Amino acid sequence: MKTLVQNKTNSYCETGNYHTFCPISCVSWLYQKIEDSFFLVIGTKTCGYFLQNALSVMIFSEPRYAMAQLEEGDISAQYNEYSELLKVCLKIKKDRLPKVIFWIGTCTTEIIKMDLESTAKKIEAEIEVPIVVANANGLDYSFTQGEDTVLAALIKKAPLRKNKSLNTTPQLFLFGSLPNFISTQLSLELSKQGIKVAGWLPSSKFTQLPSIAPGDFVCGVHPYLSRAAYTLIRQRECRLIIAPFPIGPDGTRAWIEKICVTLGYSISGLKEREKQIWNKLVSYTNKLEGKTVFFTGDNLLELSLARLLTSCKMKVCEIGIPYLDKRYQAGELELIEKICKEQGIRMPKIVEKPDNYNQLDRIREFQPELVITGMALANPLEARGINTKWSVEFTFAQIHGFGNSENLLKLITRPLSRTQHLVNT
Amino acid sequence: MKLAYWMYAGPAHIGTLRIASSFQNVLAIMHAPLGDDYFNVMRSMLERQKNLPKVTTNIIDRHVLTQGSANKIIRNIIRKDKEESPKLILITPTCTSSILQEDLDNFIKKSSLETNADVLLADINHYRNNEYQAADITLKQIIHFYIKKYTNSKISLTKEPSVNIIGAYSLAFHNQHDILELIKVLTELNIKINLILPKGASIEELEKLPKAWVNIVPYRETGILAAKWLKENFNIPYISTTPLGHENLAIWIKELEYCLKSKGRVNLNFNNFIENKTTFNSQSFWFSRSIDCQNLIGKSAVVFGDSTHVAAITKILKKDLGINILWAGTYCISDQNWFKHTLKEYTNNIFVSENYSVVEKLIKIASPDAIFGTQMERHVGKKLGIPCGVISAPIHIQNYPIGYRPFFGYEGANQLIDMIYNTFSLGMETILLEVFGGHDRQVTETASFLNKGDIYWTKEAENIFAQIPKIFQKKIKHKIDTYAASLNKTIVTPEILYKAKASLTK
Ligand code: SF4
């Protein structure tokens, strides 16, 4: 592995030549989450082509998203960016009546230095619809980090709670976009411990953004939300609870525990709860135990998933990950280290900014029984006799909380079950 | 700035990548930000490719913005040359790279000093070319480069008549099947295939390209530039007729005969072949004469897609099946003169547009019995309750069938007729179900919706109206209202209703 540059024990950095989705893809789940929103991606045909193919059939259901497609005149500043965007936004306002318009800046707006922030302020005043500007481009971010940039921008728009007097007890807010059904499930899980969740970011309506006060506690549910977290800390003076993420039975328990401990609540029945769930999952964990798995890395869920699979006694060859924020993911890192220690195995190698080509070499060498990777490599690897799981599915499937553990393991075991099925028939 | 939800043709680099990845030993390096290699996903998903991607990226990130990409791109080119030893490395610009305005040409010159592979910069411009044009340009560029490089001695034609097929490439609509079908026809005509381009061809083979007697360009969108260049420089005639449908096939074969004669095979005559094939070998020729197809006469359709498929299929619909073409349209703007010229005898309404909402609007206005279009039109049809046959890209995974589904050649003609017939009869079935009350026929509901306009309907008229299948009611009500208004009537009685019907059906 001579191409790897070692940062710290077991953590390396490669060339960053890997396949991932462009972060503007977050539009596809965020417009569904925030029901009164409209997402306008200000970019080129390249961005539009990606979205229309990645969103696939969603695109035919008149989604609340569109491209403001830049033409040569926009690039050479022949057209006035203010009046062009005003025209587009007026039309959106008329046709769709959104309560908020998100502007998603792209590589092109970044390179030609369009000042979206100040243009947005002017147009906002003109059309009387709030505009949130987020730069979710492929120059700076990968895939799920798109949601991070949008949330960070959204937090700046969240109302401040006025009663700042010292005797108001701090409240708990959770951040990260999840389908309502799942966020309610997580809130309920906490309420079993006596903890009340004061609100979620994002809320399902822009008009119902929760109001946060300095000193409030916040905790993330996704591993890719470090910007949002720092925005909450720095701009809203919130206190961040650093915990593992509620993915898998082990993660969910650790997440709740950490919140309880931080807020000074006693923990009841959690251990048993986790055990119960594991018992239900025996048929899956039996399938996974002892097998090897390799993450090529593209959506930042890798560390949490690798931790879960280590709990299932799989051997993790490599955790490829686009970007690892060691502070924000500290809880998750600790947990996987602890699990490894308990099992008496070495911490798996973490490869940041991986190089897909080199990874293919290592996959050839390791011959892992399962590779979790993007679609560009999935079929070619299958054709070479290697089981793969398409990583993008983890972003869209429901994987959070105790209640979705089975769903998650079903996803992971599916390729193995299929192989078994093909062998047996 | 343009508000857009959907586009028919992709960005330029997609066209270049489709050509590059079709060749055997060409590697493309995109100059693009992280995330723009979505092309690899499409290839692996839609075509279910087993091969590892032949497209990589020289990633443009923050660092590149400040420092420039010179060193990085040169390093990457040399690295890929070592790792995969391709014959050609094609540097592919994207929208992002085109506004950085770096001297890519210069980097390429530098790097090619250290590589075994040739290194070329695709001569495309994001803001001027779309996917199809870029594919056309890139194919010509590669051919041009290698013929210049390889051919110094005199080139002689193959001994026996032979052709090049230019237009086999990845992610194209039913392409693989189409090409097989062409090979079949050519083999039966005893014509050798010199080279099929670019899919499956290796760069070294380009050397023998000028040995062919004739070039065949079955799809208008891609290959014409190369064929024209070969004509100018090597005097190879080319055929750009699309061999789709009987009549086109016959023309295509006659053109082939003509070209081969011009090269010295004066005794060739394919007439018997055409006749035999058409009358005896083909189901579709008979089918369009059978009783079933009588029912199609006078039915209406609209057709939309790329110029190749729309032109050929419109002709079949109109000439073979007697279908009334309400309009035909294409999104291939650059080919519009040819398109308009070719279709003018089949319909009065021809248009060119890249805007799907315009197409949707025109479908609504025409309200045809069937639509033939792309995936987008299929969804519009779903919304409006009009059946749709998919005849052109852009397409989804279900339009990459595993089974043999050519559109070209005699088998293609069979398949196409099946598809057309099924599309119409699917529509008919729905209508019959309605007529016989198969689906929920809410007769009572008509009253509320009938008396919503300025025209008043009597109870008796309402009762008669309720007999009309529900899916037609809105349309027919509108027509009757307009008719009544034209007579200055504000009340619709049974009498007016029947009069209107008579005047409308004539
Ligand atoms: S990487 Fe940049 S140019 Fe490409 S789709 Fe994403 S934002 Fe658009």
Short mmCIF file of all heavy atoms in Angstrom, two decimals, chain A residues 16-17 19 44-46 49 52 60 62 67 69 71-72 74-75 84 110-111 140 355 357 375 379-380 384, chain B residues 1-2 4-5 7 33-34 37 41 44 50-51 57 59 62 79-80 83-84 95-96 99 127-128 376 379 383:
data_model
loop_
_atom_site.label_atom_id
_atom_site.label_comp_id
_atom_site.label_asym_id
_atom_site.label_seq_id
_atom_site.Cartn_x
_atom_site.Cartn_y
_atom_site.Cartn_z
N GLY A 16 -8.02 10.93 -3.82
CA GLY A 16 -9.33 11.55 -4.01
C GLY A 16 -9.93 11.26 -5.36
O GLY A 16 -10.88 11.91 -5.79
N ASN A 17 -9.38 10.26 -6.04
CA ASN A 17 -9.92 9.89 -7.35
C ASN A 17 -10.91 8.75 -7.19
O ASN A 17 -10.60 7.61 -7.42
CB ASN A 17 -8.77 9.48 -8.26
CG ASN A 17 -8.99 9.97 -9.66
OD1 ASN A 17 -10.13 9.96 -10.15
ND2 ASN A 17 -7.94 10.41 -10.32
N HIS A 19 -15.33 7.56 -7.22
CA HIS A 19 -16.65 7.87 -7.76
C HIS A 19 -17.63 8.20 -6.66
O HIS A 19 -17.70 7.50 -5.66
CB HIS A 19 -17.16 6.71 -8.58
CG HIS A 19 -18.63 6.81 -8.82
ND1 HIS A 19 -19.15 7.71 -9.72
CD2 HIS A 19 -19.68 6.20 -8.25
CE1 HIS A 19 -20.46 7.63 -9.69
NE2 HIS A 19 -20.81 6.73 -8.81
N THR A 44 -25.37 24.16 -14.90
CA THR A 44 -25.33 23.92 -16.34
C THR A 44 -26.10 22.66 -16.71
O THR A 44 -26.69 22.01 -15.85
CB THR A 44 -23.88 23.72 -16.80
OG1 THR A 44 -23.38 22.57 -16.13
CG2 THR A 44 -23.03 24.91 -16.48
N LYS A 45 -26.05 22.35 -17.98
CA LYS A 45 -26.66 21.11 -18.47
C LYS A 45 -26.07 19.89 -17.78
O LYS A 45 -26.75 18.89 -17.60
CB LYS A 45 -26.37 20.98 -19.97
CG LYS A 45 -27.40 21.61 -20.85
CD LYS A 45 -27.08 21.24 -22.29
CE LYS A 45 -28.30 21.34 -23.17
NZ LYS A 45 -28.07 20.76 -24.49
N THR A 46 -24.79 19.97 -17.43
CA THR A 46 -24.15 18.83 -16.75
C THR A 46 -24.88 18.51 -15.46
O THR A 46 -25.21 17.36 -15.17
CB THR A 46 -22.68 19.16 -16.44
OG1 THR A 46 -22.05 19.58 -17.64
CG2 THR A 46 -21.96 17.96 -15.87
N TYR A 49 -28.41 17.17 -16.26
CA TYR A 49 -28.37 15.80 -16.78
C TYR A 49 -28.18 14.81 -15.65
O TYR A 49 -28.85 13.78 -15.59
CB TYR A 49 -27.22 15.68 -17.78
CG TYR A 49 -27.25 14.44 -18.63
CD1 TYR A 49 -28.24 14.29 -19.59
CD2 TYR A 49 -26.31 13.44 -18.47
CE1 TYR A 49 -28.27 13.16 -20.39
CE2 TYR A 49 -26.33 12.30 -19.27
CZ TYR A 49 -27.32 12.17 -20.22
OH TYR A 49 -27.35 11.05 -21.01
N GLN A 52 -31.50 14.65 -13.60
CA GLN A 52 -32.65 14.00 -14.25
C GLN A 52 -32.41 12.50 -14.37
O GLN A 52 -33.36 11.72 -14.31
CB GLN A 52 -32.99 14.66 -15.58
CG GLN A 52 -32.43 14.04 -16.83
CD GLN A 52 -32.89 14.81 -18.07
OE1 GLN A 52 -33.11 16.01 -18.05
NE2 GLN A 52 -33.03 14.11 -19.17
N PHE A 60 -40.68 12.72 -13.28
CA PHE A 60 -41.93 12.82 -14.02
C PHE A 60 -43.11 13.21 -13.13
O PHE A 60 -44.20 13.40 -13.59
CB PHE A 60 -42.23 11.50 -14.73
CG PHE A 60 -41.18 11.14 -15.73
CD1 PHE A 60 -40.31 10.09 -15.51
CD2 PHE A 60 -41.05 11.87 -16.90
CE1 PHE A 60 -39.34 9.77 -16.43
CE2 PHE A 60 -40.08 11.55 -17.83
CZ PHE A 60 -39.22 10.51 -17.60
N GLU A 62 -43.49 15.92 -11.51
CA GLU A 62 -43.43 17.37 -11.29
C GLU A 62 -42.85 17.70 -9.93
O GLU A 62 -43.50 18.26 -9.06
CB GLU A 62 -44.81 17.99 -11.44
CG GLU A 62 -45.33 17.77 -12.83
CD GLU A 62 -46.54 18.63 -13.16
OE1 GLU A 62 -46.89 19.50 -12.36
OE2 GLU A 62 -47.11 18.40 -14.23
N MET A 67 -33.89 23.51 -12.74
CA MET A 67 -32.58 24.07 -13.04
C MET A 67 -32.75 25.51 -13.51
O MET A 67 -33.63 25.79 -14.30
CB MET A 67 -31.93 23.32 -14.20
CG MET A 67 -31.54 21.89 -13.97
SD MET A 67 -30.19 21.76 -12.83
CE MET A 67 -29.01 22.90 -13.54
N GLN A 69 -30.72 27.13 -15.84
CA GLN A 69 -29.60 26.70 -16.68
C GLN A 69 -28.83 27.88 -17.22
O GLN A 69 -29.39 28.74 -17.89
CB GLN A 69 -30.17 25.86 -17.82
CG GLN A 69 -29.21 24.81 -18.30
CD GLN A 69 -29.90 23.97 -19.36
OE1 GLN A 69 -30.00 24.36 -20.51
NE2 GLN A 69 -30.41 22.83 -18.95
N GLU A 71 -26.40 30.01 -19.49
CA GLU A 71 -26.04 30.01 -20.90
C GLU A 71 -24.75 30.81 -21.08
O GLU A 71 -24.26 31.41 -20.13
CB GLU A 71 -27.18 30.61 -21.73
CG GLU A 71 -28.41 29.70 -21.70
CD GLU A 71 -29.67 30.39 -22.18
OE1 GLU A 71 -30.21 31.23 -21.45
OE2 GLU A 71 -30.09 30.08 -23.29
N GLU A 72 -24.28 30.80 -22.30
CA GLU A 72 -23.00 31.46 -22.54
C GLU A 72 -23.04 32.94 -22.11
O GLU A 72 -22.09 33.46 -21.54
CB GLU A 72 -22.61 31.35 -24.02
CG GLU A 72 -21.13 31.26 -24.19
CD GLU A 72 -20.73 30.80 -25.58
OE1 GLU A 72 -21.62 30.64 -26.44
OE2 GLU A 72 -19.52 30.61 -25.79
N ASP A 74 -24.62 34.19 -19.67
CA ASP A 74 -24.50 34.31 -18.21
C ASP A 74 -23.04 34.21 -17.78
O ASP A 74 -22.60 34.85 -16.85
CB ASP A 74 -25.29 33.18 -17.52
CG ASP A 74 -26.78 33.28 -17.78
OD1 ASP A 74 -27.35 34.33 -17.45
OD2 ASP A 74 -27.36 32.32 -18.33
N ILE A 75 -22.32 33.34 -18.49
CA ILE A 75 -20.92 33.10 -18.12
C ILE A 75 -20.08 34.33 -18.44
O ILE A 75 -19.23 34.75 -17.67
CB ILE A 75 -20.36 31.89 -18.91
CG1 ILE A 75 -21.24 30.67 -18.72
CG2 ILE A 75 -18.93 31.60 -18.52
CD1 ILE A 75 -21.41 30.22 -17.32
N GLU A 84 -31.97 38.13 -14.39
CA GLU A 84 -32.24 36.76 -14.86
C GLU A 84 -32.85 35.92 -13.75
O GLU A 84 -33.85 35.24 -13.93
CB GLU A 84 -30.93 36.11 -15.34
CG GLU A 84 -30.34 36.70 -16.59
CD GLU A 84 -31.15 36.42 -17.84
OE1 GLU A 84 -31.52 35.25 -18.03
OE2 GLU A 84 -31.42 37.36 -18.61
N GLU A 110 -19.63 29.03 -8.71
CA GLU A 110 -18.46 29.22 -7.85
C GLU A 110 -17.29 29.79 -8.67
O GLU A 110 -16.64 30.73 -8.25
CB GLU A 110 -18.10 27.87 -7.26
CG GLU A 110 -17.14 27.90 -6.11
CD GLU A 110 -17.73 28.59 -4.89
OE1 GLU A 110 -18.96 28.50 -4.69
OE2 GLU A 110 -16.94 29.21 -4.15
N ILE A 111 -17.07 29.21 -9.82
CA ILE A 111 -15.89 29.62 -10.60
C ILE A 111 -16.07 31.02 -11.20
O ILE A 111 -15.15 31.82 -11.19
CB ILE A 111 -15.59 28.59 -11.70
CG1 ILE A 111 -15.16 27.28 -11.06
CG2 ILE A 111 -14.47 29.09 -12.61
CD1 ILE A 111 -15.00 26.14 -12.02
N ASP A 140 -16.08 21.15 -3.85
CA ASP A 140 -15.76 21.13 -2.43
C ASP A 140 -16.32 19.92 -1.68
O ASP A 140 -15.81 19.56 -0.64
CB ASP A 140 -16.33 22.39 -1.77
CG ASP A 140 -15.72 23.65 -2.34
OD1 ASP A 140 -14.49 23.73 -2.36
OD2 ASP A 140 -16.47 24.53 -2.79
N ASP A 355 -8.71 6.22 -3.65
CA ASP A 355 -8.46 6.16 -5.08
C ASP A 355 -9.05 4.85 -5.58
O ASP A 355 -8.57 3.78 -5.25
CB ASP A 355 -6.94 6.20 -5.32
CG ASP A 355 -6.61 6.19 -6.80
OD1 ASP A 355 -7.03 5.24 -7.48
OD2 ASP A 355 -5.94 7.13 -7.28
N TYR A 357 -9.02 3.30 -8.28
CA TYR A 357 -8.17 2.39 -9.05
C TYR A 357 -7.30 1.54 -8.14
O TYR A 357 -7.22 0.32 -8.27
CB TYR A 357 -7.30 3.19 -10.03
CG TYR A 357 -6.57 2.31 -11.00
CD1 TYR A 357 -7.17 1.91 -12.19
CD2 TYR A 357 -5.30 1.84 -10.71
CE1 TYR A 357 -6.52 1.07 -13.08
CE2 TYR A 357 -4.63 1.00 -11.59
CZ TYR A 357 -5.24 0.63 -12.77
OH TYR A 357 -4.59 -0.20 -13.64
N MET A 375 -22.44 2.45 -8.14
CA MET A 375 -22.95 1.68 -9.27
C MET A 375 -21.91 1.56 -10.39
O MET A 375 -21.96 0.62 -11.17
CB MET A 375 -24.20 2.36 -9.80
CG MET A 375 -25.05 1.47 -10.64
SD MET A 375 -25.64 0.08 -9.70
CE MET A 375 -26.11 -1.02 -10.98
N ASN A 379 -21.55 -3.51 -11.06
CA ASN A 379 -21.72 -4.57 -12.07
C ASN A 379 -20.38 -5.16 -12.53
O ASN A 379 -20.27 -6.38 -12.62
CB ASN A 379 -22.52 -4.06 -13.27
CG ASN A 379 -24.00 -4.39 -13.13
OD1 ASN A 379 -24.36 -5.31 -12.39
ND2 ASN A 379 -24.85 -3.66 -13.82
N PRO A 380 -19.38 -4.33 -12.82
CA PRO A 380 -18.08 -4.92 -13.19
C PRO A 380 -17.52 -5.85 -12.10
O PRO A 380 -16.96 -6.90 -12.43
CB PRO A 380 -17.18 -3.70 -13.38
CG PRO A 380 -18.11 -2.61 -13.80
CD PRO A 380 -19.38 -2.87 -13.05
N ARG A 384 -16.91 -10.08 -11.99
CA ARG A 384 -15.67 -10.72 -11.59
C ARG A 384 -15.85 -11.61 -10.37
O ARG A 384 -14.89 -11.95 -9.67
CB ARG A 384 -14.60 -9.64 -11.32
CG ARG A 384 -13.98 -9.12 -12.61
CD ARG A 384 -13.46 -7.71 -12.51
NE ARG A 384 -13.07 -7.24 -13.84
CZ ARG A 384 -13.94 -6.85 -14.78
NH1 ARG A 384 -15.24 -6.88 -14.54
NH2 ARG A 384 -13.52 -6.45 -15.96
N MET B 1 -30.20 32.78 -18.93
CA MET B 1 -30.61 31.78 -17.96
C MET B 1 -31.97 31.22 -18.36
O MET B 1 -32.83 31.96 -18.80
CB MET B 1 -30.71 32.45 -16.59
CG MET B 1 -30.49 31.51 -15.44
SD MET B 1 -30.49 32.39 -13.88
CE MET B 1 -28.86 33.12 -13.84
N LYS B 2 -32.09 29.92 -18.21
CA LYS B 2 -33.28 29.26 -18.71
C LYS B 2 -33.83 28.38 -17.60
O LYS B 2 -33.08 27.62 -16.99
CB LYS B 2 -32.87 28.40 -19.91
CG LYS B 2 -33.92 28.27 -20.96
CD LYS B 2 -33.34 27.76 -22.29
CE LYS B 2 -32.81 26.35 -22.19
NZ LYS B 2 -32.24 25.86 -23.46
N ALA B 4 -35.41 25.18 -16.48
CA ALA B 4 -35.54 23.88 -17.16
C ALA B 4 -35.75 22.75 -16.16
O ALA B 4 -35.13 22.73 -15.10
CB ALA B 4 -34.28 23.62 -17.98
N TYR B 5 -36.63 21.85 -16.50
CA TYR B 5 -36.89 20.69 -15.64
C TYR B 5 -36.32 19.41 -16.24
O TYR B 5 -36.08 18.45 -15.56
CB TYR B 5 -38.39 20.49 -15.45
CG TYR B 5 -39.09 21.62 -14.77
CD1 TYR B 5 -39.57 22.70 -15.50
CD2 TYR B 5 -39.28 21.61 -13.40
CE1 TYR B 5 -40.23 23.74 -14.88
CE2 TYR B 5 -39.94 22.64 -12.77
CZ TYR B 5 -40.42 23.71 -13.51
OH TYR B 5 -41.06 24.73 -12.89
N MET B 7 -34.27 17.69 -20.01
CA MET B 7 -33.73 17.96 -21.35
C MET B 7 -33.62 16.67 -22.16
O MET B 7 -33.46 15.59 -21.61
CB MET B 7 -32.40 18.66 -21.25
CG MET B 7 -31.41 17.90 -20.42
SD MET B 7 -29.98 18.94 -20.22
CE MET B 7 -29.32 18.25 -18.77
N PRO B 33 -15.12 18.31 -12.09
CA PRO B 33 -15.20 18.20 -10.63
C PRO B 33 -15.64 16.79 -10.20
O PRO B 33 -16.16 16.03 -11.02
CB PRO B 33 -16.27 19.21 -10.24
CG PRO B 33 -16.71 19.89 -11.47
CD PRO B 33 -16.16 19.18 -12.64
N LEU B 34 -15.44 16.49 -8.93
CA LEU B 34 -15.87 15.21 -8.38
C LEU B 34 -17.39 15.10 -8.55
O LEU B 34 -18.12 16.00 -8.23
CB LEU B 34 -15.53 15.19 -6.89
CG LEU B 34 -15.68 13.88 -6.15
CD1 LEU B 34 -14.63 12.91 -6.61
CD2 LEU B 34 -15.57 14.10 -4.65
N ASP B 37 -18.58 12.07 -13.02
CA ASP B 37 -18.35 10.81 -13.74
C ASP B 37 -19.60 9.94 -13.74
O ASP B 37 -19.54 8.72 -13.81
CB ASP B 37 -17.16 10.05 -13.16
CG ASP B 37 -17.43 9.51 -11.77
OD1 ASP B 37 -18.41 9.97 -11.14
OD2 ASP B 37 -16.69 8.64 -11.32
N VAL B 41 -21.87 5.39 -14.20
CA VAL B 41 -23.03 4.78 -13.58
C VAL B 41 -24.04 4.39 -14.66
O VAL B 41 -24.59 3.30 -14.67
CB VAL B 41 -23.69 5.74 -12.57
CG1 VAL B 41 -24.96 5.13 -12.00
CG2 VAL B 41 -22.72 6.08 -11.46
N SER B 44 -22.86 1.38 -16.61
CA SER B 44 -22.90 0.14 -15.85
C SER B 44 -24.34 -0.26 -15.57
O SER B 44 -24.67 -1.44 -15.54
CB SER B 44 -22.11 0.34 -14.56
OG SER B 44 -22.61 -0.47 -13.54
N LYS B 50 -20.08 -5.15 -18.04
CA LYS B 50 -19.25 -5.97 -17.16
C LYS B 50 -17.85 -5.37 -17.03
O LYS B 50 -17.13 -5.67 -16.10
CB LYS B 50 -19.12 -7.37 -17.75
CG LYS B 50 -20.40 -8.15 -17.70
CD LYS B 50 -20.13 -9.53 -18.27
CE LYS B 50 -21.38 -10.37 -18.23
NZ LYS B 50 -21.15 -11.63 -18.94
N ASN B 51 -17.47 -4.58 -18.01
CA ASN B 51 -16.11 -4.04 -17.99
C ASN B 51 -15.97 -2.92 -16.99
O ASN B 51 -16.91 -2.16 -16.77
CB ASN B 51 -15.74 -3.51 -19.37
CG ASN B 51 -15.68 -4.63 -20.37
OD1 ASN B 51 -15.37 -5.77 -20.01
ND2 ASN B 51 -16.00 -4.32 -21.61
N THR B 57 -11.42 10.54 -14.13
CA THR B 57 -11.54 11.98 -14.02
C THR B 57 -10.24 12.59 -13.51
O THR B 57 -9.61 12.03 -12.62
CB THR B 57 -12.67 12.34 -13.03
OG1 THR B 57 -13.80 11.54 -13.35
CG2 THR B 57 -13.04 13.79 -13.14
N ILE B 59 -9.62 15.38 -11.41
CA ILE B 59 -10.60 16.09 -10.60
C ILE B 59 -10.23 17.56 -10.39
O ILE B 59 -9.12 17.90 -9.98
CB ILE B 59 -10.80 15.38 -9.26
CG1 ILE B 59 -11.55 14.07 -9.54
CG2 ILE B 59 -11.60 16.24 -8.29
CD1 ILE B 59 -11.57 13.12 -8.41
N ARG B 62 -10.83 22.71 -5.25
CA ARG B 62 -10.36 24.03 -4.79
C ARG B 62 -8.91 24.27 -5.19
O ARG B 62 -8.53 25.33 -5.67
CB ARG B 62 -10.38 24.08 -3.26
CG ARG B 62 -11.67 24.44 -2.65
CD ARG B 62 -11.95 25.90 -2.72
NE ARG B 62 -13.39 25.95 -3.00
CZ ARG B 62 -14.03 26.99 -3.43
NH1 ARG B 62 -13.40 28.10 -3.69
NH2 ARG B 62 -15.32 26.94 -3.65
N ARG B 79 0.08 8.51 -15.55
CA ARG B 79 -0.30 7.39 -14.69
C ARG B 79 -1.22 6.41 -15.42
O ARG B 79 -1.01 5.20 -15.41
CB ARG B 79 -1.00 7.94 -13.44
CG ARG B 79 -1.52 6.85 -12.54
CD ARG B 79 -2.27 7.37 -11.32
NE ARG B 79 -3.04 6.24 -10.78
CZ ARG B 79 -3.95 6.35 -9.85
NH1 ARG B 79 -4.24 7.52 -9.34
NH2 ARG B 79 -4.60 5.28 -9.42
N LYS B 80 -2.25 6.97 -16.06
CA LYS B 80 -3.22 6.10 -16.75
C LYS B 80 -2.55 5.35 -17.90
O LYS B 80 -2.89 4.21 -18.21
CB LYS B 80 -4.39 6.92 -17.27
CG LYS B 80 -5.42 7.23 -16.22
CD LYS B 80 -6.14 5.98 -15.80
CE LYS B 80 -6.41 6.01 -14.30
NZ LYS B 80 -6.81 4.74 -13.72
N GLU B 83 -0.77 2.49 -16.20
CA GLU B 83 -1.65 1.50 -15.58
C GLU B 83 -2.40 0.67 -16.60
O GLU B 83 -2.59 -0.52 -16.42
CB GLU B 83 -2.66 2.21 -14.67
CG GLU B 83 -2.10 2.56 -13.31
CD GLU B 83 -3.05 3.46 -12.52
OE1 GLU B 83 -4.12 3.86 -13.06
OE2 GLU B 83 -2.73 3.77 -11.38
N GLU B 84 -2.90 1.31 -17.63
CA GLU B 84 -3.83 0.58 -18.49
C GLU B 84 -3.36 0.47 -19.94
O GLU B 84 -4.06 -0.10 -20.77
CB GLU B 84 -5.22 1.23 -18.43
CG GLU B 84 -5.65 1.39 -16.98
CD GLU B 84 -7.13 1.61 -16.81
OE1 GLU B 84 -7.88 1.22 -17.71
OE2 GLU B 84 -7.51 2.16 -15.77
N CYS B 95 -18.27 21.38 -18.73
CA CYS B 95 -18.70 22.76 -18.55
C CYS B 95 -17.75 23.49 -17.62
O CYS B 95 -17.45 24.66 -17.80
CB CYS B 95 -20.13 22.81 -18.04
SG CYS B 95 -20.37 22.02 -16.46
N THR B 96 -17.29 22.79 -16.60
CA THR B 96 -16.41 23.44 -15.63
C THR B 96 -15.06 23.77 -16.24
O THR B 96 -14.55 24.88 -16.11
CB THR B 96 -16.21 22.52 -14.41
OG1 THR B 96 -17.49 22.10 -13.96
CG2 THR B 96 -15.49 23.24 -13.30
N ILE B 99 -14.81 26.87 -18.58
CA ILE B 99 -14.71 28.25 -18.10
C ILE B 99 -13.41 28.53 -17.36
O ILE B 99 -13.10 29.67 -17.05
CB ILE B 99 -15.91 28.68 -17.21
CG1 ILE B 99 -16.23 27.61 -16.19
CG2 ILE B 99 -17.12 29.01 -18.05
CD1 ILE B 99 -17.27 28.03 -15.20
N TYR B 127 -20.83 24.89 -24.40
CA TYR B 127 -21.90 25.86 -24.64
C TYR B 127 -22.38 25.90 -26.09
O TYR B 127 -23.35 26.56 -26.41
CB TYR B 127 -21.46 27.25 -24.17
CG TYR B 127 -21.37 27.29 -22.67
CD1 TYR B 127 -20.16 27.10 -22.01
CD2 TYR B 127 -22.51 27.44 -21.90
CE1 TYR B 127 -20.09 27.08 -20.63
CE2 TYR B 127 -22.46 27.42 -20.52
CZ TYR B 127 -21.25 27.23 -19.90
OH TYR B 127 -21.20 27.20 -18.53
N ARG B 128 -21.68 25.19 -26.96
CA ARG B 128 -22.08 25.21 -28.38
C ARG B 128 -22.63 23.88 -28.86
O ARG B 128 -23.45 23.83 -29.76
CB ARG B 128 -20.87 25.57 -29.25
CG ARG B 128 -20.12 26.81 -28.79
CD ARG B 128 -20.61 28.04 -29.53
NE ARG B 128 -20.20 29.25 -28.83
CZ ARG B 128 -19.04 29.85 -29.01
NH1 ARG B 128 -18.18 29.38 -29.88
NH2 ARG B 128 -18.76 30.94 -28.34
N MET B 376 -40.17 10.77 -21.94
CA MET B 376 -40.92 11.91 -21.45
C MET B 376 -42.34 11.89 -21.99
O MET B 376 -43.30 12.08 -21.26
CB MET B 376 -40.21 13.20 -21.87
CG MET B 376 -40.69 14.41 -21.12
SD MET B 376 -40.91 14.03 -19.39
CE MET B 376 -40.81 15.53 -18.58
N HIS B 379 -44.57 9.44 -20.29
CA HIS B 379 -45.15 9.88 -19.02
C HIS B 379 -46.27 10.90 -19.24
O HIS B 379 -47.26 10.88 -18.52
CB HIS B 379 -44.07 10.45 -18.11
CG HIS B 379 -43.27 9.36 -17.48
ND1 HIS B 379 -43.62 8.80 -16.28
CD2 HIS B 379 -42.18 8.70 -17.89
CE1 HIS B 379 -42.76 7.85 -15.98
NE2 HIS B 379 -41.86 7.76 -16.94
N LYS B 383 -50.24 10.51 -18.07
CA LYS B 383 -51.03 11.53 -17.39
C LYS B 383 -52.35 11.77 -18.13
O LYS B 383 -53.38 11.97 -17.52
CB LYS B 383 -50.24 12.84 -17.34
CG LYS B 383 -49.58 13.09 -16.00
CD LYS B 383 -49.13 14.53 -15.90
CE LYS B 383 -47.76 14.74 -16.49
NZ LYS B 383 -47.30 16.11 -16.56
#
